Amino acid sequence: MLPTLVAVNALSYSIHFLNEYHHGCARGGDPQRILVETARHVGPALAMAALTTAIGFGTLLLSELRSLRELGTYSAVGILASFGLGLVVIPALLAGLPLPSPSAHRHREIRWLRAGLWRLAAIANRDRWKIPVALVLLVLVALAGIRRVPVETQWTRYLPGSMPSMRSLRALQETMAGFVLLEVVLEAEPGVF
């Protein structure tokens, strides 16, 4: 799970950087200046995102489980490293590539997406009070609907009956007395087991 988690974070930082870079390329100018302005513009936001994500995973260090502490440590370090590498590697790669043509930003799909996102941002800025109200309403709907969620402890219901393990379980139930899940918990002083 850890490599995927770090890779997804690194990819999201790279996408934000590339998006801003392409936006700068559409305006035109010197390639080096565009890279520097892009790094100056998105760098602080990406640093804040990486830092808060790392802090969030760092809270796993408070867990009593060693595996969770390790996940928190390696996730936080990996996210910060991916941010640092992304801020160095992506501009270095872009510096060696030709600038994208300004016509690449004039496609109808890109204009449609950009216009939609700007409209959404305008709504969020203009009607800020509606967002918390909508969130409270969604939470109330979720709380009202939570009683309708069935609690199912028989995990075998979610598996297809054609699976070999499910056929074996059925055979066990039909030919013998069935099966019951039995959990045994052993407790002792540290280091006994």
Side-chain angles (χ1 to χ4, degrees):
M1 183 176 96
L2 186 61
T4 306
L5 177 78
V6 172
V8 165
N9 265 282
L11 185 62
S12 69
Y13 301 148
S14 302
I15 289 170
H16 286 297
F17 192 94
L18 285 171
N19 187 38
E20 185 61 28
Y21 174 73
H22 280 271
H23 192 64
C25 289
R27 291 189 299 263
D30 178 49
Q32 275 190 321
R33 185 185 57 78
I34 293 172
L35 276 173
V36 169
E37 284 180 6
T38 299
R40 190 177 295 143
H41 184 74
V42 298
L46 294 180
M48 184 60 70
L51 187 64
T52 55
T53 305
I55 289 171
F57 279 107
T59 60
L60 292 175
L61 292 170
L62 303 174
S63 174
E64 293 179 15
L65 298 174
R66 180 179 170 209
S67 58
L68 284 180
R69 285 195 311 268
E70 288 178 357
L71 175 67
T73 301
Y74 294 127
S75 297
V77 169
I79 286 166
L80 292 176
S82 69
F83 161 72
L85 282 172
L87 215 54
V88 171
V89 172
I90 298 297
L93 291 174
L94 290 174
L97 295 173
L99 284 176
S101 65
S103 65
H105 303 280
R106 295 192 183 110
H107 292 298
R108 189 170 51 111
E109 293 84 11
I110 294 174
R111 281 199 320 260
W112 175 82
L113 177 63
R114 232 181 232 149
L117 290 174
W118 277 112
R119 266 190 239 113
L120 194 61
I123 290 170
N125 281 330
R126 186 182 63 237
D127 301 323
R128 288 183 199 164
W129 63 271
K130 289 182 180 177
I131 295 171
V133 169
L135 181 64
V136 167
L137 289 174
L138 285 173
V139 167
L140 290 175
V141 168
L143 288 175
I146 201 165
R147 299 179 78 185
R148 295 180 172 203
V149 176
V151 178
E152 182 59 66
T153 57
Q154 191 174 1
W155 53 269
T156 55
R157 287 185 179 209
Y158 299 106
L159 299 175
S162 60
M163 285 180 63
S165 57
M166 292 304 299
R167 288 197 307 263
S168 300
L169 283 175
R170 252 194 330 274
L172 202 79
Q173 280 180 317
E174 292 168 1
T175 58
M176 303 182 98
F179 64 93
V180 175
L181 187 63
L182 176 66
E183 293 185 16
V184 177
V185 179
L186 303 175
E187 293 183 6
E189 295 298 318
V192 170
F193 298 115

